[in-house]
Amino acid sequence: MILKKLKVYHYFWLTSAIIFIIGFWRQNSPDNVLDINVHDTYYVIANSHVSILLALCYLLLGSGYWLVQKVLKRKLINYLTLIHCVILFGGFIVYWLVYFYSNIIGKSRFPLFDDYELINQCLVVIVLLIIFIGQPVYFVNLLIGIFRKRSAIR
């Protein structure tokens, strides 16, 4: 079966390609920008730029796993890899579920008022999980894999 042959870095690279495709698929829609409000300043970023940044992040994460597993031929800790993957892929899936839920069910009656509060709260929780749990687990896993004794990978 093909899923058993795929390694963790393949999943990160596949997710990177999916993010890149989704970012450019909705490029011509009227809501193709990300608005970030910090106090009195609005930062407006095109979705295509955000998708390129996210795709690059997933590509680099997969490259880190590839470097340790294939190039250095070191074994990673399975449960740390699983925690990292669940947080990153779960966050990706949960975001899209919340996005489609809010677009289908959560439409506002007032046309000039947007209902992005649920999406924004979901994004904040996902980003905090990734920054404070997912990424430290990733770096610890890679460092342990690099500095532990060399073992054969099956």
Side-chain angles (χ1 to χ4, degrees):
M1 189 163 172
I2 194 166
L3 290 178
K4 289 191 177 190
K5 292 181 182 180
L6 291 178
K7 301 288 184 191
V8 67
Y9 49 86
H10 291 128
Y11 292 116
F12 277 96
W13 292 341
L14 182 65
T15 306
S16 174
I18 290 170
I19 291 172
F20 192 72
I21 290 169
I22 288 173
F24 282 100
W25 173 48
R26 294 192 38 102
Q27 188 174 8
N28 294 329
S29 70
D31 295 330
N32 66 351
V33 294
L34 174 67
D35 298 330
I36 301 171
N37 181 7
V38 179
H39 298 291
D40 289 341
T41 306
Y42 276 93
Y43 298 100
V44 181
I45 306 166
N47 281 348
S48 59
H49 296 154
V50 174
S51 68
I52 289 171
L53 178 69
L54 282 176
L56 248 153
C57 289
Y58 273 84
L59 186 71
L60 289 174
L61 291 172
S63 298
Y65 280 125
W66 174 80
L67 180 72
V68 170
Q69 289 180 335
K70 285 293 183 183
V71 175
L72 299 177
K73 304 235 188 275
R74 303 294 174 115
K75 188 164 176 63
L76 297 170
I77 299 174
N78 290 335
Y79 67 88
L80 289 180
T81 304
L82 182 66
I83 290 170
H84 181 246
C85 291
V86 165
I87 289 174
L88 263 73
F89 296 131
F92 180 73
I93 292 169
V94 165
Y95 170 75
W96 282 104
L97 289 174
V98 168
Y99 177 79
F100 288 126
Y101 169 77
S102 67
N103 280 341
I104 292 171
I105 295 176
K107 287 293 183 184
S108 173
R109 290 186 179 97
F110 185 62
L112 298 177
F113 182 72
D114 56 0
D115 287 333
Y116 290 118
E117 184 176 350
L118 179 64
I119 294 174
N120 290 339
Q121 289 173 351
C122 176
L123 272 176
V124 167
V125 168
I126 290 170
V127 166
L128 289 176
L129 274 174
I130 289 172
I131 289 174
F132 291 115
I133 297 173
Q135 291 311 105
V137 165
Y138 172 74
F139 289 121
V140 166
N141 194 11
L142 288 185
L143 288 174
I144 289 173
I146 290 170
F147 291 119
R148 78 183 340 182
K149 289 185 179 180
R150 188 177 292 261
S151 64
I153 297 177
R154 297 178 204 181

